[in-house]
PDB file of all heavy atoms in Angstrom:
ATOM      1  N   ASP A   1     168.212 214.661  57.544  1.00 87.00           N
ATOM      2  CA  ASP A   1     168.050 213.921  58.677  1.00 87.00           C
ATOM      3  C   ASP A   1     169.106 212.943  58.847  1.00 87.00           C
ATOM      4  O   ASP A   1     169.081 212.014  59.699  1.00 87.00           O
ATOM      5  CB  ASP A   1     166.745 213.184  58.559  1.00 87.00           C
ATOM      6  CG  ASP A   1     166.633 212.334  57.338  1.00 87.00           C
ATOM      7  OD1 ASP A   1     167.664 212.056  56.586  1.00 87.00           O
ATOM      8  OD2 ASP A   1     165.491 211.847  56.950  1.00 87.00           O
ATOM      9  N   GLY A   2     170.323 212.930  58.173  1.00 87.00           N
ATOM     10  CA  GLY A   2     171.378 212.005  58.400  1.00 87.00           C
ATOM     11  C   GLY A   2     172.325 212.482  59.455  1.00 87.00           C
ATOM     12  O   GLY A   2     173.315 211.940  59.709  1.00 87.00           O
ATOM     13  N   SER A   3     171.957 213.568  60.305  1.00 83.00           N
ATOM     14  CA  SER A   3     172.702 213.989  61.335  1.00 83.00           C
ATOM     15  C   SER A   3     171.913 214.325  62.457  1.00 83.00           C
ATOM     16  O   SER A   3     170.649 214.752  62.261  1.00 83.00           O
ATOM     17  CB  SER A   3     173.508 215.417  60.947  1.00 83.00           C
ATOM     18  OG  SER A   3     174.125 216.016  62.052  1.00 83.00           O
ATOM     19  N   PRO A   4     172.273 214.071  63.684  1.00 79.00           N
ATOM     20  CA  PRO A   4     171.414 214.384  64.830  1.00 79.00           C
ATOM     21  C   PRO A   4     171.030 215.844  65.014  1.00 79.00           C
ATOM     22  O   PRO A   4     170.141 216.136  65.585  1.00 79.00           O
ATOM     23  CB  PRO A   4     172.234 213.794  66.112  1.00 79.00           C
ATOM     24  CG  PRO A   4     173.567 213.652  65.493  1.00 79.00           C
ATOM     25  CD  PRO A   4     173.583 213.435  64.106  1.00 79.00           C
ATOM     26  N   LEU A   5     171.984 216.615  64.386  1.00 80.00           N
ATOM     27  CA  LEU A   5     171.728 218.129  64.582  1.00 80.00           C
ATOM     28  C   LEU A   5     171.139 218.582  63.206  1.00 80.00           C
ATOM     29  O   LEU A   5     171.567 218.139  62.067  1.00 80.00           O
ATOM     30  CB  LEU A   5     173.066 218.717  64.764  1.00 80.00           C
ATOM     31  CG  LEU A   5     173.703 218.633  66.087  1.00 80.00           C
ATOM     32  CD1 LEU A   5     175.100 219.391  66.097  1.00 80.00           C
ATOM     33  CD2 LEU A   5     172.921 218.900  67.157  1.00 80.00           C
ATOM     34  N   LYS A   6     170.224 219.505  63.206  1.00 82.00           N
ATOM     35  CA  LYS A   6     169.650 220.006  62.044  1.00 82.00           C
ATOM     36  C   LYS A   6     170.720 220.699  61.120  1.00 82.00           C
ATOM     37  O   LYS A   6     171.381 221.559  61.712  1.00 82.00           O
ATOM     38  CB  LYS A   6     168.454 221.040  62.302  1.00 82.00           C
ATOM     39  CG  LYS A   6     167.209 220.312  62.750  1.00 82.00           C
ATOM     40  CD  LYS A   6     166.093 221.255  62.883  1.00 82.00           C
ATOM     41  CE  LYS A   6     164.637 220.615  63.311  1.00 82.00           C
ATOM     42  NZ  LYS A   6     163.673 221.547  63.351  1.00 82.00           N
ATOM     43  N   THR A   7     170.825 220.302  59.892  1.00 92.00           N
ATOM     44  CA  THR A   7     171.847 220.944  59.145  1.00 92.00           C
ATOM     45  C   THR A   7     171.233 220.972  57.682  1.00 92.00           C
ATOM     46  O   THR A   7     170.436 220.296  57.284  1.00 92.00           O
ATOM     47  CB  THR A   7     173.084 220.095  59.126  1.00 92.00           C
ATOM     48  OG1 THR A   7     174.057 220.876  58.335  1.00 92.00           O
ATOM     49  CG2 THR A   7     172.968 218.709  58.569  1.00 92.00           C
ATOM     50  N   SER A   8     171.809 221.873  56.898  1.00 97.00           N
ATOM     51  CA  SER A   8     171.478 221.962  55.469  1.00 97.00           C
ATOM     52  C   SER A   8     172.725 221.598  54.633  1.00 97.00           C
ATOM     53  O   SER A   8     173.867 221.721  55.054  1.00 97.00           O
ATOM     54  CB  SER A   8     171.159 223.507  55.083  1.00 97.00           C
ATOM     55  OG  SER A   8     169.902 223.826  55.712  1.00 97.00           O
ATOM     56  N   LEU A   9     172.534 220.946  53.522  1.00 98.00           N
ATOM     57  CA  LEU A   9     173.435 220.428  52.616  1.00 98.00           C
ATOM     58  C   LEU A   9     173.244 220.953  51.265  1.00 98.00           C
ATOM     59  O   LEU A   9     172.192 221.157  50.799  1.00 98.00           O
ATOM     60  CB  LEU A   9     173.603 218.936  52.524  1.00 98.00           C
ATOM     61  CG  LEU A   9     173.756 218.104  53.769  1.00 98.00           C
ATOM     62  CD1 LEU A   9     173.627 216.581  53.351  1.00 98.00           C
ATOM     63  CD2 LEU A   9     174.995 218.467  54.477  1.00 98.00           C
ATOM     64  N   ALA A  10     174.393 221.322  50.586  1.00 98.00           N
ATOM     65  CA  ALA A  10     174.170 221.794  49.102  1.00 98.00           C
ATOM     66  C   ALA A  10     175.230 220.915  48.263  1.00 98.00           C
ATOM     67  O   ALA A  10     176.331 220.387  48.820  1.00 98.00           O
ATOM     68  CB  ALA A  10     174.585 223.322  49.015  1.00 98.00           C
ATOM     69  N   LEU A  11     174.784 220.719  47.067  1.00 98.00           N
ATOM     70  CA  LEU A  11     175.736 220.015  46.169  1.00 98.00           C
ATOM     71  C   LEU A  11     176.140 221.071  45.092  1.00 98.00           C
ATOM     72  O   LEU A  11     175.260 221.590  44.350  1.00 98.00           O
ATOM     73  CB  LEU A  11     174.960 218.802  45.526  1.00 98.00           C
ATOM     74  CG  LEU A  11     175.816 217.861  44.636  1.00 98.00           C
ATOM     75  CD1 LEU A  11     176.961 217.116  45.474  1.00 98.00           C
ATOM     76  CD2 LEU A  11     175.039 216.898  43.757  1.00 98.00           C
ATOM     77  N   PHE A  12     177.383 221.274  45.035  1.00 98.00           N
ATOM     78  CA  PHE A  12     177.877 222.270  44.013  1.00 98.00           C
ATOM     79  C   PHE A  12     178.876 221.610  43.074  1.00 98.00           C
ATOM     80  O   PHE A  12     179.769 220.901  43.544  1.00 98.00           O
ATOM     81  CB  PHE A  12     178.704 223.417  44.934  1.00 98.00           C
ATOM     82  CG  PHE A  12     179.224 224.423  44.021  1.00 98.00           C
ATOM     83  CD1 PHE A  12     178.399 225.340  43.436  1.00 98.00           C
ATOM     84  CD2 PHE A  12     180.606 224.688  43.927  1.00 98.00           C
ATOM     85  CE1 PHE A  12     178.876 226.451  42.636  1.00 98.00           C
ATOM     86  CE2 PHE A  12     181.125 225.669  43.113  1.00 98.00           C
ATOM     87  CZ  PHE A  12     180.285 226.542  42.493  1.00 98.00           C
ATOM     88  N   ARG A  13     178.579 221.754  41.833  1.00 98.00           N
ATOM     89  CA  ARG A  13     179.325 221.108  40.733  1.00 98.00           C
ATOM     90  C   ARG A  13     180.301 222.195  40.101  1.00 98.00           C
ATOM     91  O   ARG A  13     179.879 223.254  39.626  1.00 98.00           O
ATOM     92  CB  ARG A  13     178.508 220.505  39.684  1.00 98.00           C
ATOM     93  CG  ARG A  13     179.219 219.791  38.669  1.00 98.00           C
ATOM     94  CD  ARG A  13     178.394 218.978  37.661  1.00 98.00           C
ATOM     95  NE  ARG A  13     179.128 218.356  36.618  1.00 98.00           N
ATOM     96  CZ  ARG A  13     179.874 217.208  36.840  1.00 98.00           C
ATOM     97  NH1 ARG A  13     179.807 216.606  37.975  1.00 98.00           N
ATOM     98  NH2 ARG A  13     180.452 216.612  35.825  1.00 98.00           N
ATOM     99  N   SER A  14     181.585 221.884  40.171  1.00 98.00           N
ATOM    100  CA  SER A  14     182.519 222.725  39.535  1.00 98.00           C
ATOM    101  C   SER A  14     183.798 221.935  39.128  1.00 98.00           C
ATOM    102  O   SER A  14     184.232 221.023  39.848  1.00 98.00           O
ATOM    103  CB  SER A  14     183.031 223.916  40.581  1.00 98.00           C
ATOM    104  OG  SER A  14     183.999 224.704  39.961  1.00 98.00           O
ATOM    105  N   CYS A  15     184.363 222.339  37.934  1.00 97.00           N
ATOM    106  CA  CYS A  15     185.503 221.620  37.432  1.00 97.00           C
ATOM    107  C   CYS A  15     185.435 220.111  37.438  1.00 97.00           C
ATOM    108  O   CYS A  15     186.356 219.379  37.592  1.00 97.00           O
ATOM    109  CB  CYS A  15     186.706 222.012  38.261  1.00 97.00           C
ATOM    110  SG  CYS A  15     187.037 223.839  38.421  1.00 97.00           S
ATOM    111  N   GLY A  16     184.106 219.704  37.078  1.00 97.00           N
ATOM    112  CA  GLY A  16     183.923 218.236  36.873  1.00 97.00           C
ATOM    113  C   GLY A  16     183.669 217.467  38.202  1.00 97.00           C
ATOM    114  O   GLY A  16     183.778 216.248  38.316  1.00 97.00           O
ATOM    115  N   VAL A  17     183.649 218.076  39.387  1.00 98.00           N
ATOM    116  CA  VAL A  17     183.565 217.586  40.681  1.00 98.00           C
ATOM    117  C   VAL A  17     182.219 217.928  41.325  1.00 98.00           C
ATOM    118  O   VAL A  17     181.939 219.145  41.391  1.00 98.00           O
ATOM    119  CB  VAL A  17     184.746 217.845  41.605  1.00 98.00           C
ATOM    120  CG1 VAL A  17     184.630 217.242  42.868  1.00 98.00           C
ATOM    121  CG2 VAL A  17     186.036 217.625  40.861  1.00 98.00           C
ATOM    122  N   ASP A  18     181.476 217.080  41.809  1.00 98.00           N
ATOM    123  CA  ASP A  18     180.194 217.293  42.682  1.00 98.00           C
ATOM    124  C   ASP A  18     180.628 217.457  44.120  1.00 98.00           C
ATOM    125  O   ASP A  18     181.050 216.353  44.707  1.00 98.00           O
ATOM    126  CB  ASP A  18     179.244 216.248  42.472  1.00 98.00           C
ATOM    127  CG  ASP A  18     178.549 216.288  41.068  1.00 98.00           C
ATOM    128  OD1 ASP A  18     178.311 217.376  40.566  1.00 98.00           O
ATOM    129  OD2 ASP A  18     178.349 215.189  40.535  1.00 98.00           O
ATOM    130  N   ILE A  19     180.737 218.567  44.698  1.00 98.00           N
ATOM    131  CA  ILE A  19     181.176 218.888  45.972  1.00 98.00           C
ATOM    132  C   ILE A  19     179.928 218.966  47.008  1.00 98.00           C
ATOM    133  O   ILE A  19     179.087 219.852  46.772  1.00 98.00           O
ATOM    134  CB  ILE A  19     181.972 220.080  46.040  1.00 98.00           C
ATOM    135  CG1 ILE A  19     183.089 220.029  45.009  1.00 98.00           C
ATOM    136  CG2 ILE A  19     182.542 220.437  47.406  1.00 98.00           C
ATOM    137  CD1 ILE A  19     183.632 221.286  44.534  1.00 98.00           C
ATOM    138  N   VAL A  20     180.089 218.207  48.130  1.00 98.00           N
ATOM    139  CA  VAL A  20     179.072 218.351  49.176  1.00 98.00           C
ATOM    140  C   VAL A  20     179.530 219.442  50.100  1.00 98.00           C
ATOM    141  O   VAL A  20     180.643 219.411  50.499  1.00 98.00           O
ATOM    142  CB  VAL A  20     178.874 217.048  49.971  1.00 98.00           C
ATOM    143  CG1 VAL A  20     177.890 217.229  51.198  1.00 98.00           C
ATOM    144  CG2 VAL A  20     178.518 215.851  49.020  1.00 98.00           C
ATOM    145  N   LEU A  21     178.592 220.407  50.350  1.00 98.00           N
ATOM    146  CA  LEU A  21     178.913 221.478  51.359  1.00 98.00           C
ATOM    147  C   LEU A  21     177.925 221.341  52.420  1.00 98.00           C
ATOM    148  O   LEU A  21     176.830 221.115  52.249  1.00 98.00           O
ATOM    149  CB  LEU A  21     178.688 222.885  50.608  1.00 98.00           C
ATOM    150  CG  LEU A  21     179.488 223.120  49.344  1.00 98.00           C
ATOM    151  CD1 LEU A  21     179.008 224.393  48.633  1.00 98.00           C
ATOM    152  CD2 LEU A  21     181.039 223.261  49.650  1.00 98.00           C
ATOM    153  N   ALA A  22     178.460 221.493  53.707  1.00 97.00           N
ATOM    154  CA  ALA A  22     177.688 221.156  54.818  1.00 97.00           C
ATOM    155  C   ALA A  22     177.682 222.436  55.666  1.00 97.00           C
ATOM    156  O   ALA A  22     178.586 223.123  55.928  1.00 97.00           O
ATOM    157  CB  ALA A  22     178.254 220.053  55.591  1.00 97.00           C
ATOM    158  N   GLU A  23     176.429 222.726  56.324  1.00 96.00           N
ATOM    159  CA  GLU A  23     176.340 223.816  57.184  1.00 96.00           C
ATOM    160  C   GLU A  23     176.738 223.706  58.587  1.00 96.00           C
ATOM    161  O   GLU A  23     177.017 224.541  59.216  1.00 96.00           O
ATOM    162  CB  GLU A  23     174.757 224.280  57.181  1.00 96.00           C
ATOM    163  CG  GLU A  23     174.483 225.650  57.798  1.00 96.00           C
ATOM    164  CD  GLU A  23     173.084 225.986  57.572  1.00 96.00           C
ATOM    165  OE1 GLU A  23     172.235 225.023  57.599  1.00 96.00           O
ATOM    166  OE2 GLU A  23     172.763 227.207  57.728  1.00 96.00           O
ATOM    167  N   THR A  24     176.893 222.299  59.009  1.00 94.00           N
ATOM    168  CA  THR A  24     177.396 222.015  60.284  1.00 94.00           C
ATOM    169  C   THR A  24     178.602 221.078  60.016  1.00 94.00           C
ATOM    170  O   THR A  24     178.763 220.411  58.942  1.00 94.00           O
ATOM    171  CB  THR A  24     176.317 221.411  61.155  1.00 94.00           C
ATOM    172  OG1 THR A  24     175.800 220.283  60.614  1.00 94.00           O
ATOM    173  CG2 THR A  24     175.185 222.476  61.476  1.00 94.00           C
ATOM    174  N   HIS A  25     179.264 220.744  61.127  1.00 93.00           N
ATOM    175  CA  HIS A  25     180.402 219.759  61.042  1.00 93.00           C
ATOM    176  C   HIS A  25     179.836 218.388  61.175  1.00 93.00           C
ATOM    177  O   HIS A  25     179.456 217.934  62.238  1.00 93.00           O
ATOM    178  CB  HIS A  25     181.246 220.069  62.303  1.00 93.00           C
ATOM    179  CG  HIS A  25     182.599 219.374  62.351  1.00 93.00           C
ATOM    180  ND1 HIS A  25     182.798 218.319  63.076  1.00 93.00           N
ATOM    181  CD2 HIS A  25     183.697 219.691  61.758  1.00 93.00           C
ATOM    182  CE1 HIS A  25     184.012 218.058  62.991  1.00 93.00           C
ATOM    183  NE2 HIS A  25     184.623 218.860  62.038  1.00 93.00           N
ATOM    184  N   ILE A  26     179.819 217.590  60.016  1.00 94.00           N
ATOM    185  CA  ILE A  26     179.305 216.330  59.928  1.00 94.00           C
ATOM    186  C   ILE A  26     180.446 215.404  59.584  1.00 94.00           C
ATOM    187  O   ILE A  26     181.458 215.782  59.027  1.00 94.00           O
ATOM    188  CB  ILE A  26     178.182 216.256  58.888  1.00 94.00           C
ATOM    189  CG1 ILE A  26     178.702 216.650  57.503  1.00 94.00           C
ATOM    190  CG2 ILE A  26     177.069 217.185  59.348  1.00 94.00           C
ATOM    191  CD1 ILE A  26     177.704 216.253  56.455  1.00 94.00           C
ATOM    192  N   GLY A  27     180.203 214.078  59.772  1.00 94.00           N
ATOM    193  CA  GLY A  27     181.080 213.010  59.296  1.00 94.00           C
ATOM    194  C   GLY A  27     180.562 212.369  58.053  1.00 94.00           C
ATOM    195  O   GLY A  27     179.323 212.354  57.794  1.00 94.00           O
ATOM    196  N   TYR A  28     181.506 211.959  57.091  1.00 96.00           N
ATOM    197  CA  TYR A  28     181.142 211.389  55.812  1.00 96.00           C
ATOM    198  C   TYR A  28     181.276 209.870  55.934  1.00 96.00           C
ATOM    199  O   TYR A  28     181.937 209.325  55.280  1.00 96.00           O
ATOM    200  CB  TYR A  28     182.010 212.018  54.765  1.00 96.00           C
ATOM    201  CG  TYR A  28     181.667 213.426  54.568  1.00 96.00           C
ATOM    202  CD1 TYR A  28     182.347 214.381  55.323  1.00 96.00           C
ATOM    203  CD2 TYR A  28     180.700 213.872  53.744  1.00 96.00           C
ATOM    204  CE1 TYR A  28     182.030 215.765  55.252  1.00 96.00           C
ATOM    205  CE2 TYR A  28     180.264 215.183  53.678  1.00 96.00           C
ATOM    206  CZ  TYR A  28     181.063 216.119  54.451  1.00 96.00           C
ATOM    207  OH  TYR A  28     180.727 217.518  54.339  1.00 96.00           O
ATOM    208  N   THR A  29     180.370 209.422  56.791  1.00 94.00           N
ATOM    209  CA  THR A  29     180.518 208.018  57.244  1.00 94.00           C
ATOM    210  C   THR A  29     179.407 207.079  56.505  1.00 94.00           C
ATOM    211  O   THR A  29     179.612 205.892  56.483  1.00 94.00           O
ATOM    212  CB  THR A  29     180.162 207.698  58.647  1.00 94.00           C
ATOM    213  OG1 THR A  29     178.961 208.370  59.011  1.00 94.00           O
ATOM    214  CG2 THR A  29     181.182 208.590  59.528  1.00 94.00           C
ATOM    215  N   ASP A  30     178.524 207.738  55.793  1.00 96.00           N
ATOM    216  CA  ASP A  30     177.446 206.926  55.129  1.00 96.00           C
ATOM    217  C   ASP A  30     177.208 207.403  53.555  1.00 96.00           C
ATOM    218  O   ASP A  30     177.280 208.647  53.421  1.00 96.00           O
ATOM    219  CB  ASP A  30     176.113 207.070  55.976  1.00 96.00           C
ATOM    220  CG  ASP A  30     175.151 205.951  55.535  1.00 96.00           C
ATOM    221  OD1 ASP A  30     174.696 205.977  54.346  1.00 96.00           O
ATOM    222  OD2 ASP A  30     174.880 205.097  56.377  1.00 96.00           O
TER     223      ASP A  30
END
């Protein structure tokens, strides 16, 4: 619900980094 458009997010951990993956084009403002 952090985007006006419905979107799914995943958190993928690899090589010591927690990576946010977004299904739609979002901004990382918050």
Side-chain angles (χ1 to χ4, degrees):
D1 60 6
S3 169
L5 298 175
K6 286 188 176 181
T7 188
S8 296
L9 300 179
L11 188 71
F12 181 69
R13 181 171 180 79
S14 180
C15 302
V17 183
D18 287 321
I19 305 160
V20 178
L21 303 172
E23 192 176 25
T24 61
H25 191 258
I26 65 170
Y28 294 89
T29 58
D30 197 292

